[in-house]
Every structure is written in structure tokens, then in C-alpha cells.
Amino acid sequence: MTSSSDPRPLPARAEFQAIVVSYRSAATIDECLSRLRECIGVAAIRVVDNQSDDGTLEIVQRHASLDPRLRFVANPDNPGFSVGCNQGVAELEPARDDDWLVFVNPDCMVEPDTFVCLHALAAPLGDALLSADLVNEHDERDAAVRRRDPDFGAMLAGLLRPWAAPKMAVAPDDSQELQSVQATSGALMLMPRRLFARIGGFDEGYRLHAEDLDLCRRVRESGATVAVANHVRVMHVRGVSSRSRPFFVEWNKHRGLWRYFSKFEAPRRGALVRAGVFAAIWLRFPIAALRAAFR
């Protein structure tokens, strides 16, 4: 799979600094890191491991021994994805004005020119957060790449139908090379390091899920663009580390939605609406957890 048939040239001084947060990622992280190390313009790779017990850390150590650009942090516990991302950035050398961060899930398989192509589209926008067109092993597109902000009104309207999740996905528009969206997936995000610093990085109050929605919203509120490069494709083997703990994942997904609502929406809503949204989120949780467990 190639990310672009016509890669644009990388400006001479631009450098990419990749952050990978891992947890039980042994099935994919070897190939992920091998590909990252071959990417054009990658100056640093930081891996933050959240207490993996499946051989992930041994794979990371092997790559670190082979490549001085790669350093890792082995957390003694699992503080969550947001904390791990911020840790990875903190482990980088002091920032230059032209540094770009790339957050890459350990189950994303980038191509050598992926960051070149994304940067060529992002740089003219000034401050922007971009993702690629993520696809699975069957070339099916990931709906989480193009999303609206959570619609809590729709969630409240569906209070009596907690099994029906409000639709957040936006259809791809392949007539646009760069499609503006309200939110994109945290599985692959490219942004200037100065923008990340300006908005304060990831909100560490999220343990797992919804932190990307939060980040994208704060990027937009800062005046920057959130967009998807529709013609830059990256394979994403989704949910490798989540399959062994569906209850934990769904709990934190719903907890993240409540945090997002409390942070951005609750201050302008009445008490009845806040109570209704709380009920809608947590009534849906046991159904979503059971579905995930059976999957």
C-alpha cells in the first residue's frame, strides 16, 4: 500500500518526532516501529509503554538498541493514553520552531512517505492537525477518522433506546484532497509541536477514548484546522490491545464521554439536561460492554 503516488518534497528543515503509546501491543509493534524507522524525516521516536505483560517491551528494547533515535519509557503502571502521549513529548529534545509531532498507534503501519505527504498538505495551513485515511487489512475505511463532535442532544433523545448510538461519522469526500472535519482519530495525528504546546497537550483526565475528540475541539477553538488527507492511506489494525479487556475499554469510553460533556457542554445546559445526558451515557454502558465482550 502506498500513501501517495506523487509525494511532495519535504522542506529541508522540517523534522518529525513520533510518539507511540503501547499496551499489550506485541502483535503489531514490531512492524509499526520498523516502518517508523524507515519514514522520511523522522528525527526521533519515543515509545511510552503502559505496563505491557506480553513481550511488547522486549520488542521495543530491541529496536532501541538498533536505532539511537528511539528511546522508551517503561511505566510501572498504566496511567492511560493521554498521560503516555504527554510523557512522550516531554522526553523529546527542546523544541525547534519547525518541529512536527506525529502520534502513531502501535497498530498503525505507515509508509516511508506518509509524513512527507501529510506535512506537504499541513504546512501551508499554518497551525493544523491532520490525519490520514486509515483503512483496515481489508481496505475498509475507518469511520472514526472523520467525525462530528458528540451530539448529546441526539443521545438524550435516544434515552429510551440506549442501544442506538448517535452517529458521529462523516462520509469521505474524495473530491477533496484535504477534508475539514470537527474531529479525527487519535490513531494517527500530525501537528506542529508549537500548536500542541499552545493548547496544553492531551487532557490527562481521560484514561482511554474521547481524548482525541477533546484535543481536536481545543485545536479548533484555538483557531487551527482539523482535517483528513483523503488520498494518504495508512493501514490500521484496530483494537489489538483492547480485545482482551472489553469491559475496561467500554467503561473508560463512557467515562470519557461524560468528561467531554462536563467540560464543553454542561456549563451551558440546565440541570435536567445534564441529568438526562448522564442517564443516557450510563444506561448505554452495560449494553455496549456486553456487545464488546461477545465480539
Side-chain angles (χ1 to χ4, degrees):
M1 182 188 301
T2 58
S3 55
S4 173
S5 59
D6 183 24
R8 303 180 185 197
L10 178 70
R13 297 184 62 224
E15 289 188 346
F16 305 117
Q17 299 171 321
I19 311 297
V20 181
V21 178
S22 59
Y23 175 75
R24 295 182 180 174
S25 305
T28 59
I29 198 167
D30 188 24
E31 183 175 359
C32 172
L33 293 180
S34 294
R35 287 170 174 256
L36 268 180
R37 290 170 53 200
E38 294 175 359
C39 264
I40 301 167
V42 171
I45 303 170
R46 298 293 181 266
V47 180
V48 180
D49 185 74
N50 283 339
Q51 201 183 22
S52 294
D53 55 6
D54 65 341
T56 296
L57 194 54
E58 288 77 8
I59 296 170
V60 174
Q61 288 173 317
R62 176 167 53 80
H63 280 275
S65 71
L66 297 171
D67 194 328
R69 296 173 301 169
L70 196 157
R71 301 177 192 168
F72 65 90
V73 175
N75 282 328
D77 58 358
N78 186 349
F81 179 77
S82 293
V83 172
C85 287
N86 289 344
Q87 277 184 287
V89 175
E91 289 293 322
L92 294 167
E93 301 298 327
R96 305 186 321 171
D97 287 343
D98 54 351
D99 285 345
W100 289 74
L101 297 174
V102 191
F103 297 95
V104 183
N105 270 20
D107 51 8
C108 277
M109 308 301 168
V110 296
E111 300 296 330
D113 65 346
T114 293
F115 303 154
V116 174
C117 298
L118 290 176
H119 177 263
L121 293 167
L125 301 176
D127 281 346
L129 184 158
L130 260 65
S131 186
D133 186 27
L134 304 182
V135 297
N136 65 14
E137 307 95 308
H138 308 293
D139 212 32
E140 298 166 335
R141 296 171 113 165
D142 186 348
V145 171
R146 302 167 188 82
R147 286 182 288 179
R148 303 178 182 87
D149 290 333
D151 186 347
F152 293 99
M155 185 177 291
L156 187 57
L159 184 59
L160 299 178
R161 296 179 299 113
W163 57 87
K167 301 300 182 185
M168 294 170 58
V170 175
D173 182 357
D174 288 330
S175 67
Q176 300 183 63
E177 189 173 32
L178 199 59
Q179 182 176 353
S180 293
V181 293
Q182 291 182 327
T184 189
S185 170
L188 180 65
M189 288 180 164
L190 176 141
M191 62 193 301
R193 189 168 171 182
R194 63 179 180 271
L195 173 59
F196 185 81
R198 192 171 84 233
I199 66 171
F202 281 92
D203 180 345
E204 296 183 1
Y206 296 92
R207 179 79 180 261
L208 183 69
H209 287 287
E211 69 285 312
D212 49 4
L213 299 173
D214 180 293
L215 188 78
C216 288
R217 182 152 179 168
R218 287 184 289 120
V219 164
R220 289 177 11 240
E221 289 179 349
S222 77
T225 301
V226 177
V228 178
N230 284 331
H231 305 150
V232 181
R233 288 205 157 185
V234 171
M235 187 169 71
H236 181 206
V237 187
R238 290 193 64 181
V240 170
S241 64
S242 301
R243 291 169 188 162
S244 63
R245 47 178 189 162
F247 184 88
F248 174 85
V249 169
E250 289 299 330
W251 169 264
N252 282 285
K253 185 182 295 185
H254 287 73
R255 178 176 171 271
L257 278 175
W258 176 247
R259 178 173 180 82
Y260 182 98
F261 173 78
S262 300
K263 183 174 178 178
F264 295 110
E265 301 290 335
R268 57 191 180 89
R269 306 287 186 179
L272 285 176
V273 172
R274 293 197 299 270
V277 171
F278 181 87
I281 289 173
W282 292 109
L283 279 174
R284 185 179 176 274
F285 163 66
I287 296 170
L290 285 172
R291 286 167 125 183
F294 281 118
R295 282 200 301 268

